[in-house]
Amino acid sequence: MTAVDVKDPNGKVVFKLIEYDGVRVPAGIVRDPKTHLHELSQLTFKESDIFVVSFPKSGTHWCYEIVDMLKNNSSEFTTNMPPLIDMLPPEQIKQVPDGVFVAHLLPRHIPKDAFEKRCKIVSIYRNPKDVVVSFFNFLKKTKEGELMKDMEFDLFFELFLTNQLPGGTWTNYVKAWTDFQEANTSYPLLNICYEDMKKDLKGHVRMIAEFLDLNSSEELIEEIANKCDFKTMSKFKNSNVPAAMRRVTDVTDKHIMYRKGEAGDWKNWLKVAQSEALEAQVQAANIPLEIKYM
């Protein structure tokens, strides 16, 4: 493991991280990654378990809510934080009752037993321009972002582009999962585009239900689509902030995972040169997905 101090141009430390096998986590906030990944690799799962995977700030909670509702045959919101296996101690992971998990991990860090059991994976991806804006606003509200609370967006963007932030680069993450899919063509993995889901939520709820082999009724699919409209969902979440969120933030009057939920907000933040640099990085990665800059 390596301690990493990310600094601004003036030498001020803006992130204190620990790096291990390509994983960067906030020092002192998240568990030791070497120990955690080892313990995670020892876990066993059921064939019916489902994983929602994504790069941070790509619609993870949104997608999880839909999958969880479908799995439980209910349109009721969960009042708990999604079980993020990147952070949860193994004993808590074992206690997840409905077998729906969330991960921002690379494929090589997903527990092998989950792959051997062929647990279904729903992967949601979002255009990286909106991701970087959402990530910036999110981290400023977290304990891990305490040192960068006065940071300007331009510096954050540069750190994002040059692989200096927790989570690594968007391109490396998304490419790792598309490489996994290309190498395992029969594996049950569904790619969901955030921007497409914004345009046709009901159709995507149905698509996910069919992928999961659930006999969900049209009535339930419509109920879930209505409930998971961003405004409806964020209103509920902001009125029902889970106590477990205090693990990552000192903000207690609202749910920090839900900001705007828009597609195209990046136009209010990125300069032309930044937009072009990010597009060039994505193009160079040769990712076999349609990236939609709304």
Side-chain angles (χ1 to χ4, degrees), residues 156 161 172 253 255:
F156 185 86
L161 196 69
N172 287 347
D253 62 334
H255 201 304

Side-chain angles (χ1 to χ4, degrees), residues 173-192:
Y173 183 87
V174 175
K175 187 66 163 60
W177 275 103
T178 57
D179 285 350
F180 168 84
Q181 191 172 31
E182 288 182 348
N184 301 273
T185 54
S186 66
Y187 195 90
L189 187 156
L190 175 68
N191 285 307
I192 294 289

